[in-house]
Short mmCIF file of all heavy atoms in Angstrom, two decimals:
data_model
loop_
_atom_site.label_atom_id
_atom_site.label_comp_id
_atom_site.label_asym_id
_atom_site.label_seq_id
_atom_site.Cartn_x
_atom_site.Cartn_y
_atom_site.Cartn_z
N SER A 52 0.87 -1.15 0.01
CA SER A 52 0.05 -0.02 0.09
C SER A 52 0.88 1.27 -0.11
O SER A 52 2.03 1.16 0.32
CB SER A 52 -0.99 0.04 1.25
OG SER A 52 -0.21 0.20 2.41
N LEU A 53 0.34 2.37 -0.47
CA LEU A 53 1.14 3.60 -0.55
C LEU A 53 1.68 4.06 0.87
O LEU A 53 2.84 4.49 0.95
CB LEU A 53 0.21 4.81 -1.11
CG LEU A 53 0.82 6.12 -1.22
CD1 LEU A 53 2.13 5.82 -2.25
CD2 LEU A 53 -0.06 7.02 -2.01
N PRO A 54 0.95 4.07 1.94
CA PRO A 54 1.47 4.41 3.27
C PRO A 54 2.71 3.53 3.61
O PRO A 54 3.68 4.14 4.05
CB PRO A 54 0.33 4.16 4.25
CG PRO A 54 -0.99 4.24 3.45
CD PRO A 54 -0.57 3.71 2.07
N LYS A 55 2.55 2.28 3.44
CA LYS A 55 3.80 1.38 3.76
C LYS A 55 5.01 1.75 2.86
O LYS A 55 6.17 1.70 3.29
CB LYS A 55 3.44 -0.15 3.56
CG LYS A 55 2.50 -0.52 4.67
CD LYS A 55 2.19 -2.05 4.57
CE LYS A 55 1.06 -2.45 5.51
NZ LYS A 55 0.62 -3.88 5.33
N PHE A 56 4.75 1.97 1.58
CA PHE A 56 5.78 2.37 0.57
C PHE A 56 6.34 3.60 1.02
O PHE A 56 7.64 3.76 1.14
CB PHE A 56 5.27 2.45 -0.79
CG PHE A 56 6.25 3.24 -1.70
CD1 PHE A 56 7.38 2.49 -2.20
CD2 PHE A 56 6.18 4.48 -2.13
CE1 PHE A 56 8.33 3.01 -2.97
CE2 PHE A 56 7.12 5.08 -2.81
CZ PHE A 56 8.15 4.36 -3.43
N LEU A 57 5.58 4.61 1.47
CA LEU A 57 6.21 5.92 1.92
C LEU A 57 7.02 5.82 3.20
O LEU A 57 8.03 6.42 3.39
CB LEU A 57 5.08 6.98 2.13
CG LEU A 57 4.39 7.37 0.71
CD1 LEU A 57 3.22 8.24 1.15
CD2 LEU A 57 5.35 8.18 -0.18
N ASP A 58 6.46 4.95 4.08
CA ASP A 58 7.25 4.69 5.32
C ASP A 58 8.57 4.00 5.05
O ASP A 58 9.57 4.44 5.57
CB ASP A 58 6.45 3.91 6.34
CG ASP A 58 5.35 4.59 6.94
OD1 ASP A 58 5.55 5.86 7.08
OD2 ASP A 58 4.48 3.95 7.53
N ALA A 59 8.70 3.08 4.07
CA ALA A 59 9.84 2.31 3.83
C ALA A 59 10.86 3.27 3.03
O ALA A 59 12.02 3.26 3.23
CB ALA A 59 9.54 1.13 2.90
N ALA A 60 10.24 4.26 2.12
CA ALA A 60 11.08 5.00 1.42
C ALA A 60 11.55 6.37 2.11
O ALA A 60 12.27 7.04 1.74
CB ALA A 60 10.33 5.35 0.04
N GLY A 61 10.73 6.54 3.27
CA GLY A 61 11.00 7.76 3.95
C GLY A 61 12.50 8.00 4.51
O GLY A 61 12.91 9.19 4.47
N SER A 62 13.17 6.95 4.67
CA SER A 62 14.56 7.25 5.23
C SER A 62 15.45 7.69 4.05
O SER A 62 16.53 8.44 4.23
CB SER A 62 15.13 5.90 5.82
OG SER A 62 15.14 4.93 4.81
N ARG A 63 15.04 7.29 2.78
CA ARG A 63 15.89 7.73 1.66
C ARG A 63 15.32 9.08 1.03
O ARG A 63 16.03 9.83 0.51
CB ARG A 63 15.76 6.66 0.56
CG ARG A 63 16.49 5.39 0.93
CD ARG A 63 16.52 4.47 -0.29
NE ARG A 63 15.35 4.34 -1.08
CZ ARG A 63 14.31 3.50 -0.94
NH1 ARG A 63 14.29 2.90 0.07
NH2 ARG A 63 13.37 3.60 -1.78
N LEU A 64 13.97 9.18 1.07
CA LEU A 64 13.28 10.43 0.32
C LEU A 64 13.01 11.47 1.27
O LEU A 64 12.77 12.56 0.77
CB LEU A 64 12.05 9.78 -0.36
CG LEU A 64 12.30 8.71 -1.44
CD1 LEU A 64 10.98 8.23 -1.80
CD2 LEU A 64 13.19 9.21 -2.42
N ASP A 65 12.76 11.26 2.54
CA ASP A 65 12.47 12.35 3.54
C ASP A 65 11.16 13.04 3.10
O ASP A 65 11.14 14.14 2.89
CB ASP A 65 13.59 13.39 3.60
CG ASP A 65 13.34 14.34 4.74
OD1 ASP A 65 12.57 14.02 5.65
OD2 ASP A 65 13.93 15.43 4.78
N TYR A 66 10.16 12.23 2.78
CA TYR A 66 8.93 12.65 2.24
C TYR A 66 8.13 13.50 3.13
O TYR A 66 7.37 14.26 2.79
CB TYR A 66 7.97 11.46 1.66
CG TYR A 66 7.39 10.70 2.82
CD1 TYR A 66 6.19 11.01 3.33
CD2 TYR A 66 8.02 9.61 3.28
CE1 TYR A 66 5.71 10.26 4.36
CE2 TYR A 66 7.46 8.85 4.33
CZ TYR A 66 6.21 9.09 4.84
OH TYR A 66 5.77 8.39 5.85
N ARG A 67 8.56 13.35 4.50
CA ARG A 67 7.84 14.28 5.48
C ARG A 67 8.05 15.66 5.25
O ARG A 67 7.35 16.55 5.69
CB ARG A 67 8.15 13.78 6.94
CG ARG A 67 7.60 12.47 7.24
CD ARG A 67 7.92 11.96 8.66
NE ARG A 67 7.08 10.77 9.03
CZ ARG A 67 7.37 9.53 8.74
NH1 ARG A 67 8.59 9.35 8.16
NH2 ARG A 67 6.81 8.61 9.12
N ARG A 68 9.21 16.01 4.64
CA ARG A 68 9.58 17.30 4.31
C ARG A 68 8.55 18.05 3.36
O ARG A 68 8.36 19.25 3.45
CB ARG A 68 10.95 17.57 3.70
CG ARG A 68 11.32 18.77 3.21
CD ARG A 68 12.63 18.86 2.44
NE ARG A 68 13.78 19.06 3.46
CZ ARG A 68 15.06 18.96 3.10
NH1 ARG A 68 15.45 18.60 1.85
NH2 ARG A 68 15.86 19.26 3.89
N TYR A 69 7.95 17.17 2.65
CA TYR A 69 6.97 17.69 1.55
C TYR A 69 5.60 17.31 1.85
O TYR A 69 4.73 17.11 0.91
CB TYR A 69 7.45 17.15 0.24
CG TYR A 69 8.91 17.36 -0.03
CD1 TYR A 69 9.80 16.44 -0.02
CD2 TYR A 69 9.21 18.72 -0.44
CE1 TYR A 69 11.22 16.76 -0.39
CE2 TYR A 69 10.66 18.98 -0.77
CZ TYR A 69 11.59 18.02 -0.62
OH TYR A 69 12.89 18.24 -0.86
N ALA A 70 5.27 17.13 3.08
CA ALA A 70 3.92 16.69 3.54
C ALA A 70 2.89 17.57 3.10
O ALA A 70 1.79 17.09 2.70
CB ALA A 70 3.84 16.52 5.09
N ASP A 71 3.05 18.88 3.26
CA ASP A 71 1.99 19.78 2.83
C ASP A 71 1.68 19.64 1.20
O ASP A 71 0.49 19.61 0.84
CB ASP A 71 2.39 21.12 3.23
CG ASP A 71 2.31 21.54 4.51
OD1 ASP A 71 1.69 20.80 5.32
OD2 ASP A 71 3.03 22.47 5.06
N THR A 72 2.72 19.52 0.48
CA THR A 72 2.46 19.43 -0.94
C THR A 72 1.94 18.09 -1.33
O THR A 72 1.01 18.01 -2.10
CB THR A 72 3.88 19.52 -1.63
OG1 THR A 72 4.55 20.82 -1.33
CG2 THR A 72 3.78 19.46 -3.19
N LEU A 73 2.27 16.92 -0.58
CA LEU A 73 1.70 15.57 -0.73
C LEU A 73 0.14 15.71 -0.48
O LEU A 73 -0.68 15.30 -1.17
CB LEU A 73 2.49 14.61 0.09
CG LEU A 73 1.87 13.19 0.03
CD1 LEU A 73 1.99 12.69 -1.51
CD2 LEU A 73 2.53 12.27 0.97
N PHE A 74 -0.19 16.38 0.65
CA PHE A 74 -1.58 16.57 1.00
C PHE A 74 -2.31 17.28 0.00
O PHE A 74 -3.41 16.92 -0.37
CB PHE A 74 -1.60 17.29 2.37
CG PHE A 74 -3.02 17.30 2.99
CD1 PHE A 74 -3.62 16.39 3.41
CD2 PHE A 74 -3.73 18.57 2.86
CE1 PHE A 74 -4.96 16.34 3.92
CE2 PHE A 74 -4.93 18.66 3.30
CZ PHE A 74 -5.62 17.62 3.94
N ASP A 75 -1.79 18.38 -0.46
CA ASP A 75 -2.42 19.15 -1.68
C ASP A 75 -2.77 18.26 -2.83
O ASP A 75 -3.78 18.38 -3.35
CB ASP A 75 -1.57 20.36 -2.05
CG ASP A 75 -1.44 21.39 -1.14
OD1 ASP A 75 -2.00 21.43 0.00
OD2 ASP A 75 -0.59 22.31 -1.35
N ILE A 76 -1.80 17.41 -3.23
CA ILE A 76 -1.88 16.68 -4.37
C ILE A 76 -2.90 15.58 -4.13
O ILE A 76 -3.81 15.25 -4.98
CB ILE A 76 -0.58 16.05 -4.85
CG1 ILE A 76 0.29 17.17 -5.33
CG2 ILE A 76 -0.69 14.92 -5.84
CD1 ILE A 76 1.72 16.75 -5.58
N LEU A 77 -2.94 14.95 -2.98
CA LEU A 77 -4.04 13.86 -2.58
C LEU A 77 -5.41 14.43 -2.58
O LEU A 77 -6.31 13.71 -2.92
CB LEU A 77 -3.61 13.13 -1.37
CG LEU A 77 -2.37 12.29 -1.27
CD1 LEU A 77 -2.09 11.91 0.11
CD2 LEU A 77 -2.48 11.10 -2.19
N VAL A 78 -5.57 15.67 -2.11
CA VAL A 78 -6.87 16.27 -1.87
C VAL A 78 -7.30 16.89 -3.23
O VAL A 78 -8.40 16.54 -3.88
CB VAL A 78 -6.99 17.30 -0.77
CG1 VAL A 78 -8.27 18.02 -0.88
CG2 VAL A 78 -6.67 16.62 0.54
N ALA A 79 -6.41 17.83 -3.89
CA ALA A 79 -6.85 18.60 -4.91
C ALA A 79 -6.34 18.15 -6.32
O ALA A 79 -6.75 18.58 -7.29
CB ALA A 79 -6.52 20.03 -4.78
N GLY A 80 -5.35 17.28 -6.24
CA GLY A 80 -4.85 16.75 -7.50
C GLY A 80 -3.77 17.66 -8.12
O GLY A 80 -3.29 17.42 -9.17
N SER A 81 -3.26 18.71 -7.35
CA SER A 81 -2.33 19.58 -7.86
C SER A 81 -1.84 20.43 -6.61
O SER A 81 -2.47 20.46 -5.57
CB SER A 81 -2.92 20.60 -8.88
OG SER A 81 -1.93 21.58 -9.21
N MET A 82 -0.70 21.08 -6.86
CA MET A 82 -0.25 21.90 -5.71
C MET A 82 -1.09 23.19 -5.57
O MET A 82 -1.66 23.65 -6.59
CB MET A 82 1.27 22.40 -5.99
CG MET A 82 2.12 21.10 -5.87
SD MET A 82 4.04 21.65 -5.82
CE MET A 82 4.14 22.80 -6.99
N LEU A 83 -1.28 23.60 -4.40
CA LEU A 83 -2.08 24.71 -4.10
C LEU A 83 -1.38 26.01 -3.64
O LEU A 83 -0.35 25.94 -3.00
CB LEU A 83 -3.21 24.51 -2.98
CG LEU A 83 -4.02 23.27 -3.33
CD1 LEU A 83 -5.02 23.04 -2.10
CD2 LEU A 83 -4.88 23.46 -4.61
N ALA A 84 -1.79 27.13 -4.21
CA ALA A 84 -1.16 28.40 -3.70
C ALA A 84 -1.89 28.88 -2.40
O ALA A 84 -2.97 28.48 -2.13
CB ALA A 84 -1.33 29.51 -4.84
N PRO A 85 -1.13 29.87 -1.73
CA PRO A 85 -2.00 30.46 -0.57
C PRO A 85 -3.28 30.87 -1.03
O PRO A 85 -3.55 31.43 -2.06
CB PRO A 85 -1.14 31.51 -0.13
CG PRO A 85 0.17 31.13 -0.66
CD PRO A 85 0.08 30.43 -1.94
N GLY A 86 -4.40 30.59 -0.20
CA GLY A 86 -5.76 30.96 -0.57
C GLY A 86 -6.56 29.74 -1.24
O GLY A 86 -7.68 29.90 -1.45
N GLY A 87 -5.82 28.73 -1.56
CA GLY A 87 -6.43 27.48 -2.04
C GLY A 87 -6.63 27.32 -3.64
O GLY A 87 -7.18 26.47 -4.04
N THR A 88 -5.95 28.28 -4.28
CA THR A 88 -6.07 28.17 -5.79
C THR A 88 -5.00 27.27 -6.28
O THR A 88 -3.91 27.13 -5.77
CB THR A 88 -5.88 29.56 -6.54
OG1 THR A 88 -4.65 30.06 -6.17
CG2 THR A 88 -7.08 30.51 -6.06
N ARG A 89 -5.34 26.51 -7.36
CA ARG A 89 -4.33 25.56 -7.98
C ARG A 89 -3.37 26.40 -8.65
O ARG A 89 -3.64 27.29 -9.38
CB ARG A 89 -5.15 24.54 -8.77
CG ARG A 89 -5.92 23.59 -7.85
CD ARG A 89 -6.72 22.58 -8.56
NE ARG A 89 -6.44 22.29 -9.93
CZ ARG A 89 -6.91 21.46 -10.58
NH1 ARG A 89 -7.90 20.72 -10.20
NH2 ARG A 89 -6.60 21.19 -11.96
N ILE A 90 -2.12 25.89 -8.61
CA ILE A 90 -1.03 26.57 -9.34
C ILE A 90 -0.61 25.77 -10.63
O ILE A 90 0.45 26.04 -11.06
CB ILE A 90 0.00 26.92 -8.52
CG1 ILE A 90 0.76 25.65 -7.82
CG2 ILE A 90 -0.27 27.80 -7.42
CD1 ILE A 90 1.93 25.94 -7.17
N ASP A 91 -1.36 25.02 -11.23
CA ASP A 91 -0.99 24.17 -12.33
C ASP A 91 -1.31 24.77 -13.59
O ASP A 91 -0.73 24.38 -14.67
CB ASP A 91 -1.89 22.87 -12.37
CG ASP A 91 -3.26 23.09 -12.26
OD1 ASP A 91 -3.83 23.96 -13.00
OD2 ASP A 91 -3.96 22.28 -11.54
N ASP A 92 -1.86 25.91 -13.73
CA ASP A 92 -2.07 26.65 -14.96
C ASP A 92 -2.69 25.90 -15.96
O ASP A 92 -2.46 25.95 -17.24
CB ASP A 92 -0.77 27.23 -15.52
CG ASP A 92 -0.12 28.30 -14.46
OD1 ASP A 92 -0.79 29.07 -13.87
OD2 ASP A 92 1.09 28.30 -14.36
N ASN A 93 -3.72 24.98 -15.59
CA ASN A 93 -4.34 24.07 -16.48
C ASN A 93 -3.33 23.17 -17.34
O ASN A 93 -3.76 22.71 -18.38
CB ASN A 93 -5.29 24.75 -17.45
CG ASN A 93 -6.43 25.44 -16.70
OD1 ASN A 93 -7.02 24.75 -15.74
ND2 ASN A 93 -6.97 26.56 -16.92
N ASP A 94 -2.06 23.00 -16.76
CA ASP A 94 -1.15 22.19 -17.44
C ASP A 94 -1.42 20.70 -16.97
O ASP A 94 -1.18 20.45 -15.80
CB ASP A 94 0.20 22.63 -17.09
CG ASP A 94 1.30 21.75 -17.78
OD1 ASP A 94 1.02 20.74 -18.40
OD2 ASP A 94 2.45 22.18 -17.68
N LYS A 95 -2.02 19.92 -17.83
CA LYS A 95 -2.41 18.50 -17.37
C LYS A 95 -1.10 17.65 -16.84
O LYS A 95 -1.42 16.71 -16.17
CB LYS A 95 -3.08 17.70 -18.50
CG LYS A 95 -4.21 18.47 -19.07
CD LYS A 95 -5.46 18.47 -18.02
CE LYS A 95 -6.74 19.03 -18.60
NZ LYS A 95 -7.67 19.23 -17.67
N THR A 96 0.11 18.10 -17.29
CA THR A 96 1.20 17.35 -16.78
C THR A 96 1.53 17.54 -15.32
O THR A 96 2.26 16.92 -14.74
CB THR A 96 2.49 17.54 -17.60
OG1 THR A 96 2.88 18.96 -17.46
CG2 THR A 96 2.28 17.17 -19.02
N LYS A 97 0.89 18.70 -14.73
CA LYS A 97 1.10 19.03 -13.42
C LYS A 97 -0.06 18.65 -12.48
O LYS A 97 -0.23 19.13 -11.38
CB LYS A 97 1.27 20.62 -13.26
CG LYS A 97 2.67 21.08 -14.05
CD LYS A 97 2.59 22.44 -13.91
CE LYS A 97 3.96 22.99 -14.51
NZ LYS A 97 3.99 24.52 -14.51
N MET A 98 -1.05 17.98 -13.06
CA MET A 98 -2.28 17.57 -12.32
C MET A 98 -2.39 15.96 -12.31
O MET A 98 -1.72 15.34 -13.11
CB MET A 98 -3.46 18.03 -13.03
CG MET A 98 -3.50 19.52 -13.16
SD MET A 98 -4.88 20.11 -14.08
CE MET A 98 -6.30 19.13 -13.63
N THR A 99 -3.16 15.44 -11.35
CA THR A 99 -3.38 14.03 -11.28
C THR A 99 -4.92 13.81 -11.09
O THR A 99 -5.61 14.65 -10.39
CB THR A 99 -2.66 13.24 -10.20
OG1 THR A 99 -2.98 11.94 -10.26
CG2 THR A 99 -2.89 13.85 -8.89
N ASN A 100 -5.52 12.73 -11.70
CA ASN A 100 -6.89 12.54 -11.34
C ASN A 100 -7.02 11.56 -10.21
O ASN A 100 -8.04 11.20 -9.83
CB ASN A 100 -7.53 11.84 -12.68
CG ASN A 100 -7.73 12.84 -13.77
OD1 ASN A 100 -7.90 13.99 -13.55
ND2 ASN A 100 -7.82 12.32 -14.90
N HIS A 101 -5.90 11.16 -9.59
CA HIS A 101 -5.99 10.31 -8.53
C HIS A 101 -5.85 11.20 -7.21
O HIS A 101 -4.86 11.46 -6.63
CB HIS A 101 -4.74 9.43 -8.48
CG HIS A 101 -4.69 8.42 -7.39
ND1 HIS A 101 -5.62 7.30 -7.40
CD2 HIS A 101 -4.11 8.32 -6.21
CE1 HIS A 101 -5.43 6.60 -6.41
NE2 HIS A 101 -4.58 7.14 -5.46
N CYS A 102 -7.14 11.76 -6.99
CA CYS A 102 -7.23 12.69 -5.83
C CYS A 102 -8.58 12.58 -5.18
O CYS A 102 -9.50 11.92 -5.82
CB CYS A 102 -6.85 14.08 -6.21
SG CYS A 102 -7.92 14.74 -7.30
N VAL A 103 -8.87 13.09 -4.07
CA VAL A 103 -10.14 13.08 -3.36
C VAL A 103 -11.22 13.60 -4.28
O VAL A 103 -12.36 13.15 -4.36
CB VAL A 103 -10.02 13.85 -2.04
CG1 VAL A 103 -11.53 13.92 -1.48
CG2 VAL A 103 -9.26 13.16 -1.07
N PHE A 104 -10.96 14.66 -5.12
CA PHE A 104 -12.09 15.33 -5.84
C PHE A 104 -12.44 14.42 -6.99
O PHE A 104 -13.60 14.48 -7.55
CB PHE A 104 -11.50 16.52 -6.44
CG PHE A 104 -11.38 17.76 -5.48
CD1 PHE A 104 -10.51 18.69 -5.71
CD2 PHE A 104 -12.26 17.77 -4.24
CE1 PHE A 104 -10.39 19.73 -4.74
CE2 PHE A 104 -12.06 18.76 -3.35
CZ PHE A 104 -11.06 19.68 -3.62
N PHE A 105 -11.70 13.45 -7.43
CA PHE A 105 -12.15 12.44 -8.57
C PHE A 105 -12.31 11.17 -7.97
O PHE A 105 -12.63 10.24 -8.73
CB PHE A 105 -10.94 12.38 -9.52
CG PHE A 105 -10.87 13.64 -10.41
CD1 PHE A 105 -9.80 14.59 -10.21
CD2 PHE A 105 -11.75 14.01 -11.27
CE1 PHE A 105 -9.63 15.70 -10.91
CE2 PHE A 105 -11.60 15.12 -12.04
CZ PHE A 105 -10.59 15.94 -11.79
N ALA A 106 -12.32 10.94 -6.64
CA ALA A 106 -12.44 9.63 -6.06
C ALA A 106 -13.97 9.24 -6.11
O ALA A 106 -14.86 10.08 -6.12
CB ALA A 106 -11.97 9.63 -4.55
N ASP A 107 -14.30 7.90 -6.00
CA ASP A 107 -15.63 7.45 -5.88
C ASP A 107 -16.19 7.97 -4.64
O ASP A 107 -15.47 8.02 -3.59
CB ASP A 107 -15.60 5.96 -5.92
CG ASP A 107 -15.21 5.35 -7.19
OD1 ASP A 107 -15.41 5.97 -8.29
OD2 ASP A 107 -14.82 4.17 -7.22
N GLU A 108 -17.37 8.24 -4.72
CA GLU A 108 -18.08 8.75 -3.44
C GLU A 108 -18.55 7.66 -2.61
O GLU A 108 -19.84 7.52 -2.31
CB GLU A 108 -19.24 9.70 -3.80
CG GLU A 108 -18.72 10.95 -4.48
CD GLU A 108 -19.83 11.93 -4.91
OE1 GLU A 108 -20.93 11.76 -4.20
OE2 GLU A 108 -19.72 12.77 -5.70
N ASP A 109 -17.65 6.93 -1.98
CA ASP A 109 -18.02 6.04 -0.95
C ASP A 109 -17.09 5.90 0.12
O ASP A 109 -15.78 6.43 0.07
CB ASP A 109 -18.17 4.55 -1.69
CG ASP A 109 -16.93 3.87 -2.08
OD1 ASP A 109 -16.06 3.71 -1.38
OD2 ASP A 109 -16.83 3.68 -3.38
N HIS A 110 -17.43 5.37 1.22
CA HIS A 110 -16.63 5.50 2.43
C HIS A 110 -15.18 4.86 2.26
O HIS A 110 -14.22 5.30 2.73
CB HIS A 110 -17.43 4.76 3.59
CG HIS A 110 -16.73 4.74 4.83
ND1 HIS A 110 -16.54 5.85 5.66
CD2 HIS A 110 -15.99 3.79 5.62
CE1 HIS A 110 -15.81 5.62 6.74
NE2 HIS A 110 -15.54 4.37 6.68
N ASP A 111 -15.20 3.68 1.63
CA ASP A 111 -13.88 2.91 1.46
C ASP A 111 -12.89 3.70 0.60
O ASP A 111 -11.69 3.80 0.97
CB ASP A 111 -14.03 1.56 0.93
CG ASP A 111 -14.73 0.59 1.90
OD1 ASP A 111 -14.53 0.76 3.10
OD2 ASP A 111 -15.48 -0.33 1.34
N ALA A 112 -13.35 4.43 -0.41
CA ALA A 112 -12.52 5.13 -1.37
C ALA A 112 -11.89 6.30 -0.61
O ALA A 112 -10.77 6.59 -0.67
CB ALA A 112 -13.28 5.53 -2.52
N ILE A 113 -12.75 7.05 0.08
CA ILE A 113 -12.28 8.20 0.75
C ILE A 113 -11.32 7.80 1.99
O ILE A 113 -10.26 8.45 2.31
CB ILE A 113 -13.43 9.11 1.27
CG1 ILE A 113 -14.36 9.48 0.11
CG2 ILE A 113 -12.95 10.28 2.05
CD1 ILE A 113 -13.56 10.33 -0.93
N ARG A 114 -11.65 6.70 2.69
CA ARG A 114 -10.81 6.32 3.77
C ARG A 114 -9.38 6.02 3.35
O ARG A 114 -8.42 6.32 4.07
CB ARG A 114 -11.43 5.02 4.40
CG ARG A 114 -10.59 4.58 5.62
CD ARG A 114 -11.26 3.42 6.28
NE ARG A 114 -12.07 2.62 5.37
CZ ARG A 114 -12.33 1.26 5.68
NH1 ARG A 114 -11.99 0.74 6.76
NH2 ARG A 114 -12.95 0.66 4.79
N ASN A 115 -9.19 5.47 2.15
CA ASN A 115 -7.84 5.22 1.61
C ASN A 115 -7.03 6.54 1.52
O ASN A 115 -5.93 6.56 1.95
CB ASN A 115 -8.00 4.56 0.20
CG ASN A 115 -8.37 3.14 0.38
OD1 ASN A 115 -8.10 2.48 1.27
ND2 ASN A 115 -8.95 2.59 -0.70
N TYR A 116 -7.61 7.64 1.10
CA TYR A 116 -7.00 9.00 1.19
C TYR A 116 -6.60 9.35 2.46
O TYR A 116 -5.56 9.93 2.77
CB TYR A 116 -7.81 9.95 0.37
CG TYR A 116 -7.89 9.75 -1.20
CD1 TYR A 116 -8.94 8.95 -1.70
CD2 TYR A 116 -6.84 10.15 -2.04
CE1 TYR A 116 -8.90 8.83 -3.08
CE2 TYR A 116 -6.93 9.91 -3.27
CZ TYR A 116 -7.98 9.20 -3.95
OH TYR A 116 -8.03 8.99 -5.26
N ALA A 117 -7.56 9.33 3.42
CA ALA A 117 -7.36 9.68 4.72
C ALA A 117 -6.29 8.92 5.43
O ALA A 117 -5.36 9.35 6.07
CB ALA A 117 -8.69 9.47 5.63
N GLN A 118 -6.11 7.56 5.14
CA GLN A 118 -5.04 6.83 5.60
C GLN A 118 -3.71 7.15 5.20
O GLN A 118 -2.70 7.30 5.95
CB GLN A 118 -5.24 5.34 5.40
CG GLN A 118 -6.43 4.63 6.17
CD GLN A 118 -6.70 3.36 5.82
OE1 GLN A 118 -6.32 2.80 4.63
NE2 GLN A 118 -7.39 2.64 6.63
N VAL A 119 -3.53 7.55 3.87
CA VAL A 119 -2.34 8.01 3.35
C VAL A 119 -1.96 9.39 3.94
O VAL A 119 -0.84 9.74 4.41
CB VAL A 119 -2.36 8.14 1.80
CG1 VAL A 119 -1.11 8.91 1.29
CG2 VAL A 119 -2.45 6.90 1.26
N SER A 120 -2.93 10.21 4.21
CA SER A 120 -2.72 11.61 4.77
C SER A 120 -2.28 11.61 6.22
O SER A 120 -1.39 12.39 6.55
CB SER A 120 -3.98 12.40 4.54
OG SER A 120 -4.30 12.66 3.25
N LYS A 121 -2.64 10.58 6.90
CA LYS A 121 -2.27 10.47 8.30
C LYS A 121 -1.05 9.82 8.50
O LYS A 121 -0.24 10.03 9.44
CB LYS A 121 -3.36 9.56 9.11
CG LYS A 121 -4.70 10.31 9.37
CD LYS A 121 -5.55 9.59 10.24
CE LYS A 121 -5.58 8.06 10.12
NZ LYS A 121 -6.59 7.30 10.90
N GLY A 122 -0.65 9.02 7.42
CA GLY A 122 0.61 8.22 7.46
C GLY A 122 1.69 8.92 8.13
O GLY A 122 2.52 8.52 8.82
#
């Protein structure tokens, strides 16, 4: 699972340093500027559809995002 991968890679990647950016991407699908606007300039290469806004609207799907965010 993604949380286990991040924990295993954490010693090499120091992903905790980028926790805010990771959270932005998991929720909004892109990095956010102050005030909550996306800073991707509609560039599809800077966006992901794997985020809460595009997730299925069911408990299990949303719980997976919450588990990664808490990781």
Side-chain angles (χ1 to χ4, degrees):
S52 71
L53 185 57
K55 289 180 184 178
F56 169 77
L57 291 175
D58 283 339
S62 61
R63 294 187 323 269
L64 301 176
D65 192 20
Y66 73 90
R67 286 180 174 86
R68 172 187 271 175
Y69 307 103
D71 290 337
T72 302
L73 178 60
F74 183 76
D75 290 350
I76 293 169
L77 289 173
V78 172
S81 179
M82 292 190 316
L83 300 176
T88 57
R89 291 176 20 178
I90 59 173
D91 53 45
D92 298 324
N93 290 322
D94 182 349
K95 300 294 183 190
T96 64
K97 297 179 183 177
M98 298 171 47
T99 180
N100 289 338
H101 187 75
C102 65
V103 171
F104 290 153
F105 290 106
D107 293 335
E108 293 183 21
D109 66 58
H110 182 70
D111 289 333
I113 301 301
R114 183 173 32 155
N115 288 331
Y116 289 95
Q118 288 175 341
V119 171
S120 297
K121 287 190 319 188

